[in-house]
Amino acid sequence: MNKVIALLLTMTLVIGVFAGCQSEKPTDTNSNDTKVEEKETTKEDPKEETKEEEAITLRYMWWGGDSRHEATIEAVKKYEELNPNINIKPEYMGYSGYYEKLVTQLAGGTAADVMQVNVPWLIDIMRGGDLLVDLHNQDVVDLQHYDNTFLSEFCEYDGQLVGVPNGLNAMCMIANKSFFEELGVEYDRKWTWDELLTVGEQIHKENTDKYLLNQEINQMFQFVVKAYIYQLTGNELILDDKSLGFTEEDLIKTFDYVQQLYAKGVIQPANETILYVANENPTWIDGNIGLQVEWPATLYRYMYDNTDLDIISLPVQEDGQTEAVVMKATMLTSVNNNSEHKNEALEFLNWLMNDQESIQILKDVRGVPASSNAQQLLVESDMLNPLMVKAIDNGLANPFTSESGFTNSSDVKTIFNEAIELLAYNETTPEEAAKEVILRLNEYLN
């Protein structure tokens, strides 16, 4: 019970952070409501033939957009066809609200048997106990086609392998080619952060409707601040010994850069971007924004309205310690450790990740597959978006070390987001914000 209370408290603390998280292209205006596929209670002939087998129902929960929903439901139906005694009940929704629903269900003992989990949530989820199956202690899910280093670096919590990575992600910039062609600006090159500032300011001066960079304010920490500090210092934010990987001077320089992005019109004002998720921002849809820092797994959301896109690498620091690219698992698929049908859930997970039919149905709806076998199959079948492959190749050429659990914790994200919001609205200085953030981080870590 103590673990349950602890997890509920954790959820309460971080719920505000996730309230503004971006959602994927919704199925309809109620996309954040979980969709539950209802099935007929009777089966046709195949089930009659295997009536001696126990009929089992598994719940499978994930978040995503239309293309992910459609492909996953098709895979579920194929699995049921191959396993007539298994009924899979799909439960799916948009990104917004998924975290809160997941941790509430885990705490209450009502979570799905198989579920999609975001890696940064592990530190919050696993504080409640061993709620996810440790895949090191099972022999059902075949992991031979997954890179062992990637599994240990990106998918473990306290030595436990708590999920199978659905895909690889490498931070990149999505470029609107038409925007740059109209302005006569070369985009497909190695940008520096300073060039981004200079060129962006000039573009906005010449046409105040246009902005070089599109970034939701609650994504500034993930895609700009962390990347900037990593390159500046060569360290992640919170080191393994819980010390800070940056100095106050580093943080002042980073926050000064953020404030200049807004002050010089490189980024659309925060009071405008806060109204939309990035791919639904009318200014982006109208073609008046050139770049978006993102994970390539989200590319399909931007291609919904504009197919004239390209992928380029993140800007770099001229005097930084590294140009390495931040990588992570797009998400994990995990099995509920309290499932009544744990073995059947593991068998379903193994089929989802390793079976050729499943791989060809799911394609890249969860990013470039992490399994080398799946990658090879999709490339040979011409089923992998080449822009996503380009982003992953850029990352794998120079990957940054994995981020620790504390760097990914929702508490750290909240501390930074609150400072960034004050900077964006010019309600604090970089010096004041840096002092406040370091004070709060040390209080949290100690």
Side-chain angles (χ1 to χ4, degrees):
M1 180 61 73
N2 289 336
K3 294 177 179 178
V4 171
I5 293 172
L7 187 53
L8 283 170
L9 286 172
T10 300
M11 184 274 291
T12 303
L13 287 171
V14 300
I15 192 168
V17 178
F18 285 90
C21 287
Q22 80 183 59
S23 60
E24 301 189 22
K25 193 69 182 178
T27 304
D28 54 41
T29 54
N30 297 317
S31 64
N32 293 331
D33 297 331
T34 305
K35 310 296 189 298
V36 178
E37 293 289 310
E38 298 295 343
K39 297 177 173 46
E40 296 294 335
T41 54
T42 57
K43 288 278 187 177
E44 296 182 354
D45 290 343
K47 193 161 187 175
E48 292 297 322
E49 296 172 3
T50 57
K51 59 184 178 182
E52 69 278 4
E53 294 186 74
E54 180 189 5
I56 290 174
T57 296
L58 297 175
R59 291 167 52 214
Y60 175 26
M61 188 168 85
W62 73 87
W63 80 82
D66 289 350
S67 58
R68 185 179 300 168
H69 297 331
E70 291 164 6
T72 307
I73 291 169
E74 183 182 348
V76 163
K77 289 179 178 176
K78 172 55 69 175
Y79 189 76
E80 289 180 321
E81 179 184 323
L82 297 170
N83 300 273
N85 67 313
I86 303 292
N87 288 319
I88 308 288
K89 183 180 286 186
E91 300 177 9
Y92 54 95
M93 59 189 291
Y95 184 82
S96 181
Y98 182 91
Y99 167 81
E100 292 83 354
K101 182 181 180 70
L102 177 67
V103 295
T104 300
Q105 290 188 342
L106 284 167
T110 60
D113 301 278
V114 181
M115 66 197 83
Q116 195 170 287
V117 174
N118 205 359
V119 173
W121 303 342
L122 292 179
I123 192 168
D124 296 329
I125 291 172
M126 298 302 283
R127 280 175 180 166
D130 297 333
L131 299 176
L132 306 176
V133 170
D134 180 2
L135 299 177
H136 285 316
N137 296 325
Q138 57 81 42
D139 57 3
V140 177
V141 180
D142 182 1
L143 298 169
Q144 65 174 310
H145 297 296
Y146 293 84
D147 184 272
N148 286 331
T149 302
F150 188 84
L151 291 179
S152 62
E153 288 279 332
F154 295 93
C155 309
E156 286 188 354
Y157 178 84
D158 197 21
Q160 300 179 58
L161 182 60
V162 292
V164 179
N166 290 96
L168 302 173
N169 245 343
M171 208 174 279
C172 66
M173 289 202 291
I174 298 173
N176 177 1
K177 292 195 292 185
S178 301
F179 176 90
F180 292 101
E181 287 168 3
E182 177 187 337
L183 298 176
V185 175
E186 180 189 358
Y187 75 90
D188 192 8
R189 59 190 175 91
K190 181 184 285 188
W191 291 76
T192 67
W193 291 100
D194 287 342
E195 284 176 329
L196 207 68
L197 205 58
T198 305
V199 175
E201 181 181 21
Q202 187 63 34
I203 288 173
H204 188 65
K205 275 184 178 176
E206 292 175 0
N207 185 337
T208 54
D209 291 333
K210 293 188 180 298
Y211 301 91
L212 180 58
L213 191 61
N214 183 30
Q215 211 68 53
E216 297 166 70
I217 190 166
N218 61 4
Q219 297 293 325
M220 284 291 290
F221 168 60
Q222 171 80 342
F223 292 117
V224 175
V225 170
K226 283 208 292 189
Y228 193 95
I229 292 176
Y230 289 165
Q231 292 182 4
L232 185 65
T233 66
N235 297 322
E236 63 170 317
L237 296 185
I238 314 295
L239 305 179
D240 289 341
D241 62 0
K242 297 171 69 173
S243 63
L244 302 182
F246 55 88
T247 65
E248 184 173 329
E249 183 181 351
D250 295 330
L251 196 54
I252 291 172
K253 182 175 182 180
T254 305
F255 282 165
D256 179 65
Y257 185 82
V258 169
Q259 206 161 43
Q260 287 191 67
L261 287 175
Y262 285 102
K264 295 183 176 181
V266 181
I267 290 184
Q268 196 175 1
N271 63 349
E272 296 178 17
T273 59
I274 202 170
L275 301 175
Y276 311 98
V277 292
N279 61 302
E280 297 176 0
N281 183 334
T283 309
W284 167 266
I285 293 173
D286 291 343
N288 286 320
I289 298 178
L291 297 168
Q292 169 76 42
V293 183
E294 260 293 5
W295 299 110
T298 65
L299 181 64
Y300 67 94
R301 293 185 307 186
Y302 294 88
M303 300 193 81
Y304 184 85
D305 294 306
N306 183 357
T307 57
D308 194 24
L309 303 177
D310 200 356
I311 292 282
I312 59 175
S313 296
L314 280 184
V316 297
Q317 297 270 5
E318 285 182 301
D319 54 352
Q321 298 297 314
T322 180
E323 295 182 4
V325 178
V326 177
M327 296 193 72
K328 70 168 190 173
T330 54
M331 60 203 71
L332 306 180
T333 299
S334 303
V335 170
N336 184 348
N337 209 18
N338 295 315
S339 169
E340 293 181 7
H341 305 291
K342 203 178 301 182
N343 193 65
E344 288 80 6
L346 288 168
E347 289 176 346
F348 175 55
L349 174 59
N350 182 58
W351 183 86
L352 277 178
M353 298 297 171
N354 294 313
D355 186 87
Q356 287 198 2
E357 276 190 288
S358 174
I359 292 168
Q360 289 181 315
I361 292 171
L362 296 173
K363 304 184 185 70
D364 58 1
V365 295
R366 288 177 173 80
V368 176
S371 158
S372 60
N373 187 48
Q375 287 177 26
Q376 182 179 355
L377 179 62
L378 293 183
V379 169
E380 291 174 353
S381 306
D382 196 23
M383 292 179 170
L384 207 52
N385 188 317
L387 291 183
M388 296 173 75
V389 177
K390 180 180 179 182
I392 299 302
D393 286 346
N394 286 344
L396 289 174
N398 189 16
F400 191 77
T401 184
S402 64
E403 297 174 318
S404 72
F406 285 106
T407 293
N408 278 318
S409 87
S410 53
D411 300 273
V412 171
K413 183 177 180 181
T414 298
I415 292 169
F416 271 94
N417 275 347
E418 290 177 358
I420 291 166
E421 186 170 340
L422 292 173
L423 289 163
Y425 289 107
N426 205 27
E427 293 178 357
T428 190
T429 66
E431 292 78 9
E432 291 170 345
K435 282 188 182 299
E436 177 70 11
V437 165
I438 289 174
L439 176 66
R440 293 180 64 187
L441 286 176
N442 283 325
E443 288 175 351
Y444 165 68
L445 294 168
N446 294 318

